[in-house]
Amino acid sequence: MKNKDNKALTLKTLNKSNIWDLQENDIFRLWEAAEKDADMKEYARHYLDIVKSAFDVEEIKIDKPEVIKKYEARGFKVGALKFDDTSKSKWAIKKRPILRVTDLTYENIRHISTTKLLEVIDRNFGGGWDSLSQSIQDIIESGFDISTTTLPKDRLRKPGGMYEKKVEDGFDVLEIPKGMWVEAIFAKEKPMMEKPRLKMEDDDLDKDLDEADEDEELLDEDHYDDPDEDDDAFDEDKLTEESYRTTFESDPEDLNLEAEGISDDYEE
């Protein structure tokens, strides 16, 4: 899920998503590499805004050893950044940690591991999947396949059951005790989907360009006030893709457990 080829990134290719792949030293390295670019002065503040989306950034206005040591004690890395034709100034940078579910965003969700995700969920007061807000669940499910089940703890790992099948399928699992029951949250990274590209032959491209020119000539004529024949046509843009969840829920209160034993049907 993470971009392992950080050396291929430059300040110009940084965005609020891939910035999460970098560490403090990477920022100073990329900044130094871009200092000689002709447009560096013009876009420096824009680059800084992108960095600030994933890092805490502070300018060190009093450049003294005791001040720098205080920043370093707080986990900051200190280095020099150049913004214009003047001399460089000292800046302190620290990667913003992802500790709580509220730290998760659509930009960083694909840049954390499954283990990290489950650690963050586990810190949410042990409330389980349903304790998360719908917006947080949507963010998580944009990067991970999630499913859950709640079973008596002595039945959770039954051979051939859901737990075993999910683990064999590559899911990591977080177990949250709930009295005599256990909620299991299964998580697996979703594969990155590349948008297919339509390859066109040169002749087809030239044809499309010619048609575009013809359309532009037609627009030059006075047809702006003519009624649109397709006003009542079906608008495909209004369609939205139905979302779905893979979550399996079992409420202990709704299960009719018999004293003689518990049916395996409750696992699915």
Side-chain angles (χ1 to χ4, degrees):
M1 182 173 293
K2 295 184 177 180
N3 179 11
K4 298 180 180 180
D5 192 14
N6 290 339
K7 293 183 178 180
L9 292 175
T10 67
L11 281 186
K12 292 182 178 180
T13 60
L14 282 184
N15 56 52
K16 292 185 178 181
S17 177
N18 62 25
I19 186 68
W20 287 94
D21 286 330
L22 303 182
Q23 299 302 321
E24 294 87 354
N25 290 335
D26 296 319
I27 301 301
F28 289 114
R29 175 177 56 83
L30 295 182
W31 203 281
E32 183 178 6
E35 286 178 355
K36 295 181 180 180
D37 291 350
D39 57 357
M40 179 61 180
K41 179 180 178 181
E42 181 179 357
Y43 292 104
R45 292 295 170 181
H46 168 70
Y47 300 145
L48 184 63
D49 287 340
I50 293 177
V51 172
K52 286 182 176 180
S53 68
F55 292 81
D56 292 324
V57 182
E58 297 183 25
E59 183 178 7
I60 300 178
K61 297 183 178 180
I62 302 176
D63 188 3
K64 293 184 178 181
E66 57 269 26
V67 175
I68 294 177
K69 286 183 180 180
K70 289 182 179 180
Y71 277 103
E72 292 175 340
R74 293 165 52 195
F76 282 83
K77 297 290 185 180
V78 177
L81 299 178
K82 186 176 182 180
F83 282 83
D84 48 37
D85 296 332
T86 62
S87 59
K88 296 182 179 181
S89 56
K90 290 286 184 68
W91 290 76
I93 300 177
K94 182 175 69 173
K95 184 75 170 286
R96 191 170 298 129
I98 301 175
L99 301 176
R100 300 173 296 273
V101 293
T102 51
D103 294 327
L104 298 173
T105 67
Y106 285 106
E107 287 75 23
N108 65 31
I109 191 63
R110 282 193 171 273
H111 300 274
I112 63 173
S113 66
T114 310
T115 300
K116 178 67 175 179
L117 170 68
L118 295 180
E119 288 176 358
V120 172
I121 295 177
D122 193 29
R123 291 194 189 101
N124 193 47
F125 310 107
W129 179 254
D130 286 336
S131 70
L132 303 177
S133 67
Q134 186 62 54
S135 60
I136 296 298
Q137 291 182 8
D138 290 344
I139 289 173
I140 293 173
E141 291 182 322
S142 71
F144 294 84
D145 285 322
I146 300 291
S147 60
T148 71
T149 187
T150 302
L151 292 169
K153 59 184 179 182
D154 59 344
R155 303 290 294 177
L156 181 64
R157 300 182 181 228
K158 184 183 71 67
M162 179 180 179
Y163 191 105
E164 182 178 281
K165 292 177 181 178
K166 286 292 184 181
V167 172
E168 290 178 352
D169 196 29
F171 283 78
D172 287 0
V173 59
L174 169 65
E175 298 180 25
I176 301 178
K178 295 185 175 181
M180 298 297 293
W181 296 68
V182 177
E183 178 182 1
I185 302 177
F186 303 95
K188 182 180 179 181
E189 295 179 4
K190 286 184 177 180
M192 295 291 289
M193 301 296 292
E194 294 186 2
K195 295 181 180 180
R197 289 186 176 182
L198 179 61
K199 295 184 178 180
M200 303 177 64
E201 298 293 338
D202 292 340
D203 292 342
D204 294 335
L205 181 58
D206 291 338
K207 179 181 179 181
D208 286 350
L209 291 175
D210 290 340
E211 291 177 352
D213 291 338
E214 292 177 2
D215 291 341
E216 185 174 355
E217 291 176 0
L218 291 174
L219 287 175
D220 289 338
E221 300 180 15
D222 189 11
H223 294 290
Y224 295 109
D225 296 328
D226 291 348
D228 190 349
E229 296 179 358
D230 296 329
D231 280 345
D232 297 328
F234 182 71
D235 187 1
E236 293 183 354
D237 292 337
K238 294 182 180 179
L239 289 177
T240 58
E241 182 181 352
E242 289 292 332
S243 59
Y244 66 91
R245 287 176 53 189
T246 59
T247 302
F248 299 85
E249 299 178 353
S250 297
D251 190 341
E253 297 296 330
D254 295 336
L255 297 178
N256 183 18
L257 302 180
E258 298 180 357
E260 291 79 12
I262 300 171
S263 173
D264 291 343
D265 293 338
Y266 296 125
E267 297 185 17
E268 302 298 324

